[in-house]
mmCIF file of all heavy atoms in Angstrom:
data_model
loop_
_atom_site.group_PDB
_atom_site.id
_atom_site.type_symbol
_atom_site.label_atom_id
_atom_site.label_comp_id
_atom_site.label_asym_id
_atom_site.label_seq_id
_atom_site.Cartn_x
_atom_site.Cartn_y
_atom_site.Cartn_z
ATOM 1 N N LEU F 1049 7.530 -23.282 -15.731
ATOM 2 C CA LEU F 1049 6.217 -23.097 -15.105
ATOM 3 C C LEU F 1049 5.169 -23.765 -15.993
ATOM 4 O O LEU F 1049 5.395 -23.986 -17.187
ATOM 5 C CB LEU F 1049 5.901 -21.603 -14.979
ATOM 6 C CG LEU F 1049 6.850 -20.738 -14.156
ATOM 7 C CD1 LEU F 1049 6.432 -19.276 -14.210
ATOM 8 C CD2 LEU F 1049 6.905 -21.222 -12.717
ATOM 9 N N PHE F 1062 0.306 -7.681 -19.672
ATOM 10 C CA PHE F 1062 1.494 -6.920 -19.277
ATOM 11 C C PHE F 1062 2.459 -6.700 -20.435
ATOM 12 O O PHE F 1062 3.092 -5.650 -20.536
ATOM 13 C CB PHE F 1062 2.191 -7.576 -18.081
ATOM 14 C CG PHE F 1062 1.505 -7.244 -16.784
ATOM 15 C CD1 PHE F 1062 0.676 -8.157 -16.153
ATOM 16 C CD2 PHE F 1062 1.667 -5.984 -16.212
ATOM 17 C CE1 PHE F 1062 0.023 -7.827 -14.970
ATOM 18 C CE2 PHE F 1062 1.018 -5.651 -15.032
ATOM 19 C CZ PHE F 1062 0.193 -6.568 -14.409
ATOM 20 N N LEU F 1069 0.838 -1.688 -14.348
ATOM 21 C CA LEU F 1069 -0.583 -1.857 -14.080
ATOM 22 C C LEU F 1069 -0.790 -2.472 -12.705
ATOM 23 O O LEU F 1069 -0.017 -3.308 -12.264
ATOM 24 C CB LEU F 1069 -1.206 -2.794 -15.121
ATOM 25 C CG LEU F 1069 -1.089 -2.384 -16.584
ATOM 26 C CD1 LEU F 1069 -1.495 -3.531 -17.504
ATOM 27 C CD2 LEU F 1069 -1.929 -1.138 -16.857
ATOM 28 N N ASP F 1072 -6.256 -3.531 -9.817
ATOM 29 C CA ASP F 1072 -7.438 -2.716 -10.044
ATOM 30 C C ASP F 1072 -7.559 -2.243 -11.498
ATOM 31 O O ASP F 1072 -8.656 -2.165 -12.040
ATOM 32 C CB ASP F 1072 -7.382 -1.508 -9.106
ATOM 33 C CG ASP F 1072 -8.711 -0.791 -9.015
ATOM 34 O OD1 ASP F 1072 -9.700 -1.461 -8.675
ATOM 35 O OD2 ASP F 1072 -8.760 0.412 -9.314
ATOM 36 N N ASP F 1081 -9.876 -15.371 -10.647
ATOM 37 C CA ASP F 1081 -10.078 -14.833 -9.302
ATOM 38 C C ASP F 1081 -8.855 -13.999 -8.896
ATOM 39 O O ASP F 1081 -7.749 -14.243 -9.372
ATOM 40 C CB ASP F 1081 -10.240 -16.023 -8.352
ATOM 41 C CG ASP F 1081 -10.575 -15.565 -6.957
ATOM 42 O OD1 ASP F 1081 -11.750 -15.223 -6.726
ATOM 43 O OD2 ASP F 1081 -9.670 -15.539 -6.099
ATOM 44 N N PHE F 1092 5.624 -14.832 -10.804
ATOM 45 C CA PHE F 1092 6.330 -14.103 -11.876
ATOM 46 C C PHE F 1092 7.406 -13.180 -11.294
ATOM 47 O O PHE F 1092 8.445 -12.981 -11.912
ATOM 48 C CB PHE F 1092 5.341 -13.280 -12.712
ATOM 49 C CG PHE F 1092 4.405 -14.096 -13.560
ATOM 50 C CD1 PHE F 1092 3.196 -13.561 -14.013
ATOM 51 C CD2 PHE F 1092 4.716 -15.405 -13.935
ATOM 52 C CE1 PHE F 1092 2.321 -14.312 -14.806
ATOM 53 C CE2 PHE F 1092 3.847 -16.159 -14.725
ATOM 54 C CZ PHE F 1092 2.647 -15.610 -15.158
ATOM 55 N N GLU F 1093 7.141 -12.644 -10.121
ATOM 56 C CA GLU F 1093 8.150 -11.782 -9.514
ATOM 57 C C GLU F 1093 9.352 -12.591 -9.030
ATOM 58 O O GLU F 1093 10.484 -12.158 -9.239
ATOM 59 C CB GLU F 1093 7.562 -10.989 -8.351
ATOM 60 C CG GLU F 1093 6.722 -9.815 -8.829
ATOM 61 C CD GLU F 1093 6.666 -8.700 -7.795
ATOM 62 O OE1 GLU F 1093 7.646 -7.945 -7.696
ATOM 63 O OE2 GLU F 1093 5.649 -8.598 -7.094
ATOM 64 N N SER F 1100 7.736 -4.988 -9.413
ATOM 65 C CA SER F 1100 6.643 -4.157 -8.939
ATOM 66 C C SER F 1100 7.117 -3.059 -8.003
ATOM 67 O O SER F 1100 8.236 -3.086 -7.509
ATOM 68 C CB SER F 1100 5.643 -5.020 -8.196
ATOM 69 O OG SER F 1100 6.221 -5.466 -6.987
ATOM 70 N N PHE F 1101 6.237 -2.117 -7.771
ATOM 71 C CA PHE F 1101 6.506 -1.073 -6.785
ATOM 72 C C PHE F 1101 5.180 -0.547 -6.254
ATOM 73 O O PHE F 1101 4.139 -0.655 -6.914
ATOM 74 C CB PHE F 1101 7.333 0.061 -7.381
ATOM 75 C CG PHE F 1101 6.718 0.686 -8.598
ATOM 76 C CD1 PHE F 1101 5.845 1.752 -8.471
ATOM 77 C CD2 PHE F 1101 6.997 0.184 -9.862
ATOM 78 C CE1 PHE F 1101 5.271 2.319 -9.600
ATOM 79 C CE2 PHE F 1101 6.419 0.753 -10.996
ATOM 80 C CZ PHE F 1101 5.553 1.817 -10.870
ATOM 81 N N ILE F 1112 6.456 -5.799 -16.845
ATOM 82 C CA ILE F 1112 7.415 -6.762 -17.363
ATOM 83 C C ILE F 1112 8.826 -6.261 -17.072
ATOM 84 O O ILE F 1112 9.107 -5.074 -17.198
ATOM 85 C CB ILE F 1112 7.217 -6.916 -18.895
ATOM 86 C CG1 ILE F 1112 5.875 -7.595 -19.202
ATOM 87 C CG2 ILE F 1112 8.380 -7.654 -19.542
ATOM 88 C CD1 ILE F 1112 5.873 -9.094 -19.016
ATOM 89 N N ASN F 1126 -2.042 10.576 -9.650
ATOM 90 C CA ASN F 1126 -1.540 9.212 -9.459
ATOM 91 C C ASN F 1126 -1.110 8.520 -10.741
ATOM 92 O O ASN F 1126 -0.897 7.308 -10.743
ATOM 93 C CB ASN F 1126 -2.563 8.344 -8.723
ATOM 94 C CG ASN F 1126 -2.648 8.705 -7.252
ATOM 95 O OD1 ASN F 1126 -1.659 9.083 -6.640
ATOM 96 N ND2 ASN F 1126 -3.835 8.606 -6.680
ATOM 97 N N ASN F 1136 21.665 7.735 -13.797
ATOM 98 C CA ASN F 1136 22.850 7.074 -13.271
ATOM 99 C C ASN F 1136 23.038 7.496 -11.828
ATOM 100 O O ASN F 1136 23.308 8.647 -11.551
ATOM 101 C CB ASN F 1136 24.069 7.481 -14.103
ATOM 102 C CG ASN F 1136 25.103 6.383 -14.078
ATOM 103 O OD1 ASN F 1136 24.746 5.240 -14.244
ATOM 104 N ND2 ASN F 1136 26.338 6.694 -13.868
ATOM 105 N N ILE F 1149 10.302 8.647 -8.735
ATOM 106 C CA ILE F 1149 10.312 10.095 -8.601
ATOM 107 C C ILE F 1149 8.877 10.558 -8.453
ATOM 108 O O ILE F 1149 8.015 10.192 -9.257
ATOM 109 C CB ILE F 1149 10.989 10.731 -9.816
ATOM 110 C CG1 ILE F 1149 12.447 10.257 -9.866
ATOM 111 C CG2 ILE F 1149 10.915 12.251 -9.753
ATOM 112 C CD1 ILE F 1149 13.003 10.209 -11.241
ATOM 113 N N LYS F 1150 8.609 11.313 -7.419
ATOM 114 C CA LYS F 1150 7.242 11.769 -7.180
ATOM 115 C C LYS F 1150 7.153 13.275 -7.320
ATOM 116 O O LYS F 1150 8.081 13.988 -6.949
ATOM 117 C CB LYS F 1150 6.787 11.347 -5.781
ATOM 118 C CG LYS F 1150 6.888 9.836 -5.611
ATOM 119 C CD LYS F 1150 6.140 9.342 -4.423
ATOM 120 C CE LYS F 1150 6.294 7.829 -4.309
ATOM 121 N NZ LYS F 1150 5.608 7.294 -3.131
#
Side-chain angles (χ1 to χ4, degrees):
Chain F
L1049 300 177
F1062 280 103
L1069 302 168
D1072 194 56
D1081 185 78
F1092 291 158
E1093 283 206 78
S1100 69
F1101 56 89
I1112 292 281
N1126 287 326
N1136 208 45
I1149 298 151
K1150 303 195 180 178

